[in-house]
């Protein structure tokens, strides 16, 4: 499948989707506290997404059972919300959500500390977020896709952390996952596609405090670090323009 260039109408719809998703994330941040369950988070997320006239894009996607991914501590992504998973003081939790608005998608993730967290966990969250912004400095028409990937990897590794290799970002539009795949590390070969105005991309650094190796739990969804170290996730949907990139999922 070729990388799609979005029309002005499509971009406007994706702006609307992104704004709604950003507001959902802002509301979710306010309820993160010790004692809440991951299922509580999922229920609130779905309630707010649907109240805004959107569909939660994750629910039912490839059989995924929830409206949001809630990944705690060593869970990198795709944690399935349950009543048994309570948040405790000192945990970190990554929330990954998507919405469909009038047929167009937005995808974004945030990692939060639960109550008071230690300095290394704070630094992991901050470095993961900053790596996104280091990457999108290169998200400009005329640059190559892997310029973004290389910038993310270089910054993360300079801080003593590692980027996950088995999971990548992606194009986005009418479908949640479109071409191209966007690694958070520089592949050994090639430069990646040349970026053009109208491309919409989900850039999502997934960063581990320890090694980059991961595996999938028996639920066939939850991805965890192999060494048990904490992981953080930060993602936004962006638009390539004639100038600076536009972040569609950040108010």
């Amino acid at each position: 499948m070729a990388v799609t260039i979005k029309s002005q109408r499509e971009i406007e719809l994706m702006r609307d989707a992104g704004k709604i998703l950003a507001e959902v994330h802002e509301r979710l941040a306010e309820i993160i506290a010790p004692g809440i369950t991951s299922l509580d988070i999922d229920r609130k997320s779905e309630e707010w997404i649907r109240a805004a006239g959107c569909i939660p894009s994750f629910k039912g996607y490839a059989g995924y059972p929830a409206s949001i991914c809630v990944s705690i501590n060593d869970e990198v992504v795709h944690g399935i919300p349950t009543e048994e998973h309570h948040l405790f003081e000192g945990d970190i939790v990554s929330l990954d959500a998507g919405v469909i608005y009038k047929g167009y998608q937005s995808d974004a993730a945030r990692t939060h500390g639960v109550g008071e967290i230690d300095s290394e966990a704070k630094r992991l969250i901050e470095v993961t977020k900053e790596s996104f912004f280091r990457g999108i400095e290169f998200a400009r028409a005329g640059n190559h896709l892997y310029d973004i990937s290389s910038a993310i990897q270089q910054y993360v590794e300079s801080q003593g952390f590692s980027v996950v290799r088995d999971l990548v970002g992606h194009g986005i539009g009418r479908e949640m996952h479109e071409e191209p795949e966007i690694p958070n590390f520089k592949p050994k070969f090639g430069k990646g596609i040349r970026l053009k105005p109208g491309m919409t991309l989900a850039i999502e650094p997934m960063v581990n405090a320890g090694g980059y190796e991961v595996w999938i739990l028996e639920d066939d969804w939850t991805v965890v670090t192999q060494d048990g170290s904490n992981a953080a996730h930060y993602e936004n949907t962006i638009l390539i323009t004639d100038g600076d990139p536009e972040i569609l999922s950040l108010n």
Side-chain angles (χ1 to χ4, degrees), residues 12-245:
E12 286 300 328
L13 290 172
M14 291 187 70
R15 281 195 183 108
D16 291 339
K19 185 175 188 298
I20 291 165
L21 182 54
E23 289 168 355
V24 169
H25 269 296
E26 288 167 4
R27 296 180 75 176
L28 288 171
E30 294 173 358
I31 68 169
I32 298 302
I36 195 172
T37 70
S38 56
L39 188 60
D40 293 332
I41 297 168
D42 177 63
R43 285 170 174 160
K44 283 295 185 185
S45 176
E46 181 165 5
E47 176 188 330
W48 294 332
I49 289 169
R50 293 192 185 279
C54 295
I55 298 168
S57 52
F58 292 5
K59 193 158 192 178
Y61 183 86
Y64 187 74
S67 297
I68 188 171
C69 299
V70 183
S71 307
I72 304 167
N73 295 333
D74 66 333
E75 297 173 351
V76 183
V77 287
H78 304 161
I80 298 174
T82 70
E83 280 186 299
E84 291 73 36
H85 275 150
H86 289 79
L87 300 186
F88 294 97
E89 185 89 14
D91 285 344
I92 65 172
V93 58
S94 297
L95 307 179
D96 187 4
V99 304
I100 305 171
Y101 177 73
K102 296 184 179 179
Y104 285 84
Q105 309 249 359
S106 188
D107 190 3
R110 308 283 186 264
T111 301
H112 305 282
V114 181
E116 288 297 318
I117 62 174
D118 64 39
S119 59
E120 190 68 354
K122 283 182 183 175
R123 198 169 73 86
L124 174 65
I125 293 171
E126 289 165 0
V127 166
T128 304
K129 180 177 180 178
E130 178 63 19
S131 73
F132 166 86
F133 289 98
R134 296 291 180 106
I136 68 164
E137 288 177 10
F138 296 89
R140 302 176 68 89
N143 286 350
H144 287 94
L145 182 68
Y146 296 162
D147 295 339
I148 301 171
S149 309
S150 181
I152 291 170
Q153 180 182 18
Q154 286 180 25
Y155 177 70
V156 168
E157 293 180 352
S158 77
Q159 301 301 307
F161 298 135
S162 60
V163 291
V164 173
R165 308 297 178 92
D166 293 350
L167 300 154
V168 297
H170 50 91
I172 185 169
R174 292 193 66 87
E175 303 296 329
M176 180 162 51
H177 293 114
E178 298 183 353
E179 292 294 329
E181 289 191 346
I182 309 165
N184 297 303
F185 60 94
K186 175 69 165 66
K188 289 183 179 179
F189 302 104
K191 297 179 179 179
I193 62 166
R194 195 174 290 279
L195 301 174
K196 298 178 181 179
M199 290 181 175
T200 45
L201 310 173
I203 310 292
E204 52 176 322
M206 290 157 274
V207 178
N208 296 347
Y212 64 75
E213 297 87 355
V214 298
W215 51 32
I216 301 173
L217 298 185
E218 290 182 359
D219 63 15
D220 290 330
W221 280 105
T222 308
V223 179
V224 299
T225 60
Q226 284 194 20
D227 59 13
S229 63
N230 278 348
H233 185 197
Y234 188 83
E235 175 186 21
N236 281 303
T237 299
I238 71 164
L239 168 69
I240 304 298
T241 73
D242 288 315
D244 294 334

